[in-house]
Every structure is written in C-alpha cells, then in structure tokens.
Amino acid sequence: MPLKPLGLGEVVSASFATFGRYWKQLAGVMLAVLGLCLLVMALLAGVAVAAVYDHIEPVFDPPYGQDPAAEHLTPVIVAGVTLFVLLFAVGLLSMAVLTAVCPAVLQQAVLGRPTTFRAMWRTTLRRTPAVLGTLLLTGLIAGAPVLAAMAVWIPVMVVSVAGDDPSPAALILLPVLLLPAVAVSVWLGTRLSLAPAVAVMEKAAPVTALRRSAALVKGDWWRIFGITLVGSMIAMSIAYMIQMPFQLVGTFGMIPLMAEAGEGAEGADPSTGMIVALVFGILCIMVGGGVSQMFQIGYTQLFSNLLYVDQRIRRENLAQALLAELAAQAPGTGTVPTPAERPAEPLSDADAPTLAHPDRPQPRPEPEPDTLPDRPTDD
C-alpha cells in the first residue's frame, strides 16, 4: 500500500491487494480457528444432549393433554442455557482470534514484507487476549444505549399487557426509544472501531486501545463511518456471490433426493443415492458458507485496519517514520553490524519496535512479526 493518506479507492484496492498476497496465511489461520471452533461446539452439544438424553422425550413429546413434568423440564432448561453460554464464549474467542490475525498480516503488508503461517499464528495467539477484551468492552459500550432502551420499554409493555385495556402506546414507544439508541450505538461503535488494530499493532491493553481508537477517529467520524460502510457492503456483496454457486449446486444436487422421497413408500428406508445426494448437497452449502464467511471477515477487518494506518499517517506522520526505518534497513545504506555489536540476547517483547515506537531496536535472533516495523524473517 502507498505510504500516504488514502482515499476510498486506495483503501479498497489496498484491501484487495493485501488479501490477494497474503490469502494463504489468512486462510490457514482462519481454517484452523474455524475447524477448532466447530469441533469444540460439536463436542459441547454432544455432551449437553447426552447429559439430558433421558429427559428429552418427556419434554418434547409428553403424553397427550399433559404438560412436561418439572423433573424433566428443569434439567433440559439448565442444559440449554449452559450450552448457549458455552457456545457464545467459544464463538467470541474464535472471533477474537480471527480479528487479531488481520492486523498481524497488515503490519507486514504495509512495508511489503513476506510472512508465514507460523509467524502469523504465533503473533495472533499472543494478541488474542487483548483483542478479546477489546471486543467485549466495545460490545458493552456500543450496545449499552440499546440495552437501556429495552430496559425502559419491557416493563412498560408488561404493565400495558397485564392491564385490562392494553394501550397501543406501548408499541409506539419501542421505535421512539430504539431510533436514538441505535444512532448512539452506531456512533460509539464507529468511534471504537479501530481498537482491535491498536491492540495488535501497538500492543495496547484493551482500555488503552479504546482510548486510542477514539482519539484517532475524533474529527473524522463521518469519513470513517462512510468508508467502513462501503467496505462492509463490498464484503457482503462478494461473499454472497461466492456463496451462491455452492448453494445452487447443493440445491440441484438434492433434487433427486426430494423426487425419490416424494415417490417412495411411507416408512421405507432411504436408498444409497438419497444419502449420497443429501451429503453432497449439505457439503456444498457448508463449503460455500464457510468460504464466503472467511472472505467477509478477512476483507472487513483488513479494510478497518487500513483505516487505522491511514489515520496514523494523516495525524502522526507515520509514513516518514516507516520510510526512515526502511531506509535504515535497506542493503548498502549503512554499515553492517559485526557479530560483537549484535545483542547477545533477544530483546523482550516490550522492547520490540512498534507502530507507536518505530525507533526501538529490534531483536536479531529469529525476529517475529509482532509489530510494525520489523525485519523480514527467513521462514
């Protein structure tokens, strides 16, 4: 990407260029994360079903005219709530890892440096806790206005419904409360949208990342919001176009299954062809959905991270610092340090160069792409 203030077209093209050059690293990390996520979710669901298996039939298929007994209903509810919380936690952790990998790739892409799956995986996992905290705080802060509006509306609606003459004013109150609440939530979400990039590229703690994001967006809110909206629309459109062929192939692949099922006798066992068609159709739809989601997540995050770099170039003259760093590391522009001049031991993670401190020294032995700028690695 050019080290200068970026317009909308340059942000779009740089996002595609970065995605195209580093798609193997991005896809590798995303596939590993999504695979582990689905495996853990499947195991949790299996354990939950096995734990309440004896209570499922009495709850969902009770005797005619009878309600499920409390001794069967309570375990199913507890297992369902517990499973929901665990699945939400696993999904949030996976999203944090996917959010952390894009800034890790971009900090190398800004200077045109190569990277590897192993380096990206190591950097991503190292910054995942900070990104997870950033996502949690952003969700709580941006979602607070909507939660407050619902907290006001729900009691009013309950009182209205419980009365002898329910008033339609309770229904009208909902959009009246939600419209300003959603507007405030969008404003807060845009203001904090650069926090994940700060958490990775500057190695910042969650609260510090939120403050930095607010400072970088201040004065350019409409520009950040508009460009982010355009990027999201581009990502959704391309993801839909990626998914459509897989859905069509999967749907047409299941047509023989539906035709045979309509002609078959009731209670007859499914044939081998029906099973093959069902598996083929489901696999096509799942593969299409997975590929489209990977592209949408990766492109959207790269788009947002490029806005972070752009804001730093505009406000903090980051381009000059990066160009100076590149000039200092270019072959033939300076003396090569002798082995005696090199540090005997690797520098700590806190001493490594960052976007916030490009003048810090960098470790020579097996440098890792944790921050920008950095030296290229041999692997």
Side-chain angles (χ1 to χ4, degrees), residues 257-275:
L257 169 65
M258 293 183 287
E260 187 173 346
E263 298 173 357
E266 184 177 354
D269 294 333
S271 64
T272 304
M274 293 176 63
I275 297 175

Side-chain angles (χ1 to χ4, degrees), residues 184-211:
V184 175
S185 294
V186 171
W187 180 79
L188 290 172
T190 303
R191 189 173 174 84
L192 304 177
S193 62
L194 305 184
V198 176
V200 176
M201 294 188 179
E202 297 186 24
K203 297 184 179 180
V207 175
T208 304
L210 295 178
R211 291 174 178 170

Side-chain angles (χ1 to χ4, degrees), residues 270-353:
S271 64
T272 304
M274 293 176 63
I275 297 175
V276 171
L278 179 63
V279 172
F280 175 77
I282 293 176
L283 284 178
C284 284
I285 294 173
M286 289 181 61
V287 169
V291 173
S292 65
Q293 284 297 313
M294 286 173 56
F295 173 83
Q296 185 172 352
I297 293 173
Y299 184 82
T300 303
Q301 292 299 322
L302 285 175
F303 207 90
S304 177
N305 300 154
L306 279 169
L307 288 177
Y308 160 79
V309 176
D310 175 58
Q311 287 300 102
R312 292 211 56 190
I313 290 175
R314 291 173 181 271
R315 297 193 171 197
E316 302 174 0
N317 202 20
L318 178 64
Q320 295 300 320
L322 296 177
L323 291 173
E325 181 74 14
L326 284 174
Q329 296 178 6
T333 59
T335 60
V336 178
T338 62
E341 296 174 326
R342 296 181 180 177
E345 306 216 353
L347 296 176
S348 65
D349 190 66
D351 292 331

Side-chain angles (χ1 to χ4, degrees), residues 57-116:
E57 185 175 352
V59 170
F60 294 98
D61 190 19
Y64 180 76
Q66 297 183 13
D67 294 330
E71 62 180 4
H72 297 298
L73 187 60
T74 302
V76 172
I77 293 177
V78 172
V81 172
T82 304
L83 179 62
F84 174 79
V85 173
L86 292 176
L87 292 180
F88 178 79
V90 173
L92 184 61
L93 179 61
S94 301
M95 190 62 195
V97 178
L98 295 177
T99 303
V101 67
C102 292
V105 168
L106 185 61
Q107 60 189 3
Q108 300 302 311
V110 168
L111 298 178
R113 291 170 173 166
T115 187
T116 62

Side-chain angles (χ1 to χ4, degrees), residues 5 12 62 81 112 124 139 148 160 190 222 232 245 250 259 279 328 357 370:
V12 173
V81 172
T124 299
S160 176
T190 303
W222 282 107
S232 299
V279 172
H357 305 284
D370 292 336

Side-chain angles (χ1 to χ4, degrees), residues 242-266:
I242 293 174
Q243 190 175 5
M244 278 302 297
F246 290 93
Q247 286 187 336
L248 291 175
V249 172
T251 302
F252 281 113
M254 288 191 288
I255 288 179
L257 169 65
M258 293 183 287
E260 187 173 346
E263 298 173 357
E266 184 177 354

